[in-house]
Amino acid sequence: MTQHGATQARPFAGTGPQGHRGRMRDRVLGAGPASLADYEILEMLLFFGIARRDTKPLAKALINRFGSLSAVLLAPGPALMDEGVPEGAIRPLRLPVFAARRLAGPEPRDRLALGDWDRLMAYFDAQAGALVPGQLRMLFLDNRNRLLADEAFEAEAGVRAVLVRGLSLHATALIGVRIAAGGQVLATIADRDGPLARELADKGGSLSIVLHDMMVIGPGQWLSFRQHGLL
């Protein structure tokens, strides 16, 4: 174990064994986890990896060594092992950190379902301020037509880039959308993008990624490739 100078500040005067597991569990059930000191929380976490041994002395020693509960939980595995923590007890010490990071992140959104024209049009109406004329956007969908991602692709990216991205998202379907500027003829744009749509449909099908449709959307108007006979 690491040696320490006599002048180092230590939160606890001694680390002798005290108490037992049953008493600690009773305290949590009776008074709640807020009643526990930091070393007692650590003591209980060590229960999961250390059987039939009083973990209080080790818990106090670890906080003396690293300075705080959070520092212990974030300490490298080899440093913990140097202080007497068995390898099997290190993984349970990681769980509070993983849980805290997950809770600190955003809640996953319910996936938007785009299973009919009305929902699709409502989605793009809501996106109107972010639509860039000339942009090609791909909507990646799961097997229930729920939106996994809505991403823009450069013209030179090509079909391969779209399908590689679809595979990485585990998408099962696509909807392609070309954004038109005001005054442009949608049918002309659709005819130009027809080869791209057919290649996506052909190569995507071989990867079990179905192209539901390609569309051209402009201010107040839209055109479906399928309805236009291009797919």
Side-chain angles (χ1 to χ4, degrees):
M1 291 190 182
T2 305
Q3 299 297 316
H4 306 284
T7 59
Q8 181 177 350
R10 296 164 68 89
F12 306 107
T15 58
Q18 301 174 34
H20 57 82
R21 299 182 183 202
R23 180 164 63 95
M24 294 298 299
R25 293 189 182 102
D26 289 343
R27 274 189 60 192
V28 172
L29 291 174
S35 66
L36 299 178
D38 283 359
Y39 79 89
E40 291 172 319
I41 294 172
L42 182 56
E43 177 186 354
M44 296 192 75
L45 288 171
L46 290 168
F47 288 174
F48 296 102
I50 301 176
R52 296 180 298 278
R53 174 179 151 198
D54 184 3
T55 58
K56 181 177 286 186
L58 179 57
K60 287 186 173 183
L62 289 170
I63 292 183
N64 278 334
R65 162 66 177 88
F66 294 100
S68 68
L69 172 61
S70 62
V72 174
L73 299 180
L74 293 169
L80 292 171
M81 293 176 67
D82 285 346
E83 298 301 319
V85 179
E87 185 174 1
I90 292 175
R91 287 184 179 177
L93 296 184
R94 301 300 185 218
L95 291 176
V97 175
F98 294 152
R101 288 173 178 168
R102 178 67 59 86
L103 291 171
E107 287 290 325
R109 297 184 306 164
D110 289 336
R111 291 178 182 171
L112 176 66
L114 298 176
D116 57 55
W117 286 108
D118 288 341
R119 289 185 178 183
L120 187 61
M121 291 302 103
Y123 173 76
F124 276 100
D125 284 345
Q127 301 289 315
L131 301 181
V132 178
Q135 189 178 65
L136 174 66
R137 292 170 65 157
M138 300 302 305
L139 308 185
F140 298 91
L141 310 175
D142 67 10
N143 59 1
R144 295 173 62 186
N145 289 327
R146 295 177 301 180
L147 184 63
L148 298 172
D150 171 3
E151 299 183 2
F153 284 83
E154 299 295 335
E156 61 271 16
V159 169
R160 183 178 185 278
V162 172
L163 295 178
V164 167
R165 180 59 176 150
L167 290 172
S168 73
L169 291 167
H170 304 289
T172 60
L174 300 170
I175 298 174
V177 179
R178 178 73 71 181
I179 309 302
Q184 287 187 300
V185 179
L186 302 194
T188 300
I189 298 173
D191 289 339
R192 185 190 64 204
D193 280 342
L196 171 65
R198 289 188 288 273
E199 186 179 359
L200 272 172
D202 180 53
K203 293 185 177 177
S206 67
L207 298 172
S208 298
I209 300 177
V210 176
L211 179 66
H212 283 335
D213 207 343
M214 282 275 289
M215 304 178 64
V216 184
I217 293 180
Q221 56 182 337
W222 59 271
L223 181 148
S224 159
F225 281 41
R226 288 199 179 278
Q227 292 181 5
H228 196 59
L230 292 173
L231 279 174

